[in-house]
Amino acid sequence: MTVSAPPPPQSPQPPAGPTAAPRPAGGRRWPTAVASLVLLALLMFAQSFRFPSDVAVTEPMVASGDASATVDAGSFTVRVEEVRFAKAVGDGSEDSALSDFAPEPDYIEAKGVWVVVFLDVTSTDRQLTRFESRLDSGDKNVYASTPWLHNAFGSIGDGFPPGIPIRGATAFEVPEKALKDPVVQVTISTGIDKRLSGEAHVKLGLSGDELKKAIEGAEETLDVPEPRMQKV
């Protein structure tokens, strides 16, 4: 007698109809990628506050003060001794014993007014050789000192030995109406490289009617003497 085995069970068949398309794998990854990029951008933004750039770390260190006091810029000190206004300036030695025999200086007339700032500068610990100055006129403009005067600070051969005050002047040609509340800015370094140099911003204390009166009373001509060492 022959015995037949029962047929194997059949798997249930899915109902007839359209088959759903599989979701692409990339669809699950793009939100994660975007979140990672946002997080990376936030980390870089935060790092920019914690670690300043090399330029920010080594740029001149600014010290501010008024003309009534000595301003200590670290590598040097500076004190404003006098501010004079003139219609024309020239290289001269008006306080020299030989001034009566010296030739008449050539004067440079201003298209505006000359602001001549007399300074006492003292290097604190090393020989400084490069002097630069600017004048913030108080009207959002900054003016460089004139390069045309050989006697003014900033000429070739200037030197500031440590511990010895040097008195000299720096001159700026400025439109009269631009002067509001001027501040002289001085940077002195050992050469072209100004990294970690000192910089002083000295408020001249001239504004309003006092400044207007000084401009209206500008001297016809002003002789700028060469820098000189002062007694310690």
Side-chain angles (χ1 to χ4, degrees):
M1 183 176 64
T2 303
V3 179
S4 300
Q10 299 293 323
S11 299
Q13 297 296 320
T19 303
R23 295 178 60 188
R28 302 189 188 96
R29 291 198 299 265
W30 75 264
T32 303
V34 171
S36 299
L37 290 175
V38 172
L39 179 60
L40 180 61
L42 291 174
L43 288 174
M44 293 178 66
F45 182 73
Q47 290 291 89
S48 67
F49 287 95
R50 295 185 58 190
F51 301 101
S53 66
D54 292 341
V55 175
V57 170
T58 59
E59 66 183 1
M61 297 171 286
V62 177
S64 301
D66 297 325
S68 59
T70 299
V71 178
D72 188 347
S75 58
F76 68 92
T77 63
V78 61
R79 182 183 180 91
V80 173
E81 293 297 327
E82 188 180 13
V83 181
R84 294 168 68 176
F85 295 82
K87 298 177 182 178
V89 295
D91 289 307
S93 52
E94 56 184 12
D95 55 350
S96 171
L98 299 176
S99 59
D100 292 338
F101 305 96
E104 185 72 16
D106 293 327
Y107 291 103
I108 307 171
E109 293 187 6
K111 295 180 179 179
V113 68
W114 286 104
V115 182
V116 183
V117 184
F118 292 81
L119 308 166
D120 274 359
V121 175
T122 306
S123 172
T124 56
D125 58 4
R126 55 179 172 169
Q127 178 83 12
L128 299 176
T129 56
R130 186 178 179 87
F131 179 98
E132 296 181 30
S133 61
R134 301 169 299 280
L135 186 73
D136 183 339
S137 65
D139 70 337
K140 300 181 181 180
N141 288 320
V142 178
Y143 298 86
S145 59
T146 180
W148 303 113
L149 293 173
H150 298 294
N151 282 352
F153 276 142
S155 298
I156 297 175
D158 278 351
F160 301 90
I164 301 177
I166 307 293
R167 179 167 296 178
T170 182
F172 308 90
E173 185 180 13
V174 185
E176 295 178 11
K177 294 183 179 180
L179 289 167
K180 304 297 182 183
D181 190 8
V183 176
V184 64
Q185 304 174 354
V186 176
T187 305
I188 310 178
S189 59
T190 57
I192 297 177
D193 188 356
K194 295 190 296 183
R195 291 179 299 176
L196 298 178
S197 300
E199 182 172 324
H201 292 186
V202 186
K203 190 172 182 178
L204 299 183
L206 294 170
S207 61
D209 292 339
E210 183 182 4
L211 178 59
K212 181 180 179 181
K213 184 178 179 179
I215 295 173
E216 291 176 347
E219 304 171 53
E220 290 296 327
T221 60
L222 175 59
D223 293 322
V224 177
E226 62 184 5
R228 295 189 176 181
M229 293 184 181
Q230 304 298 300
K231 292 183 180 180
V232 180

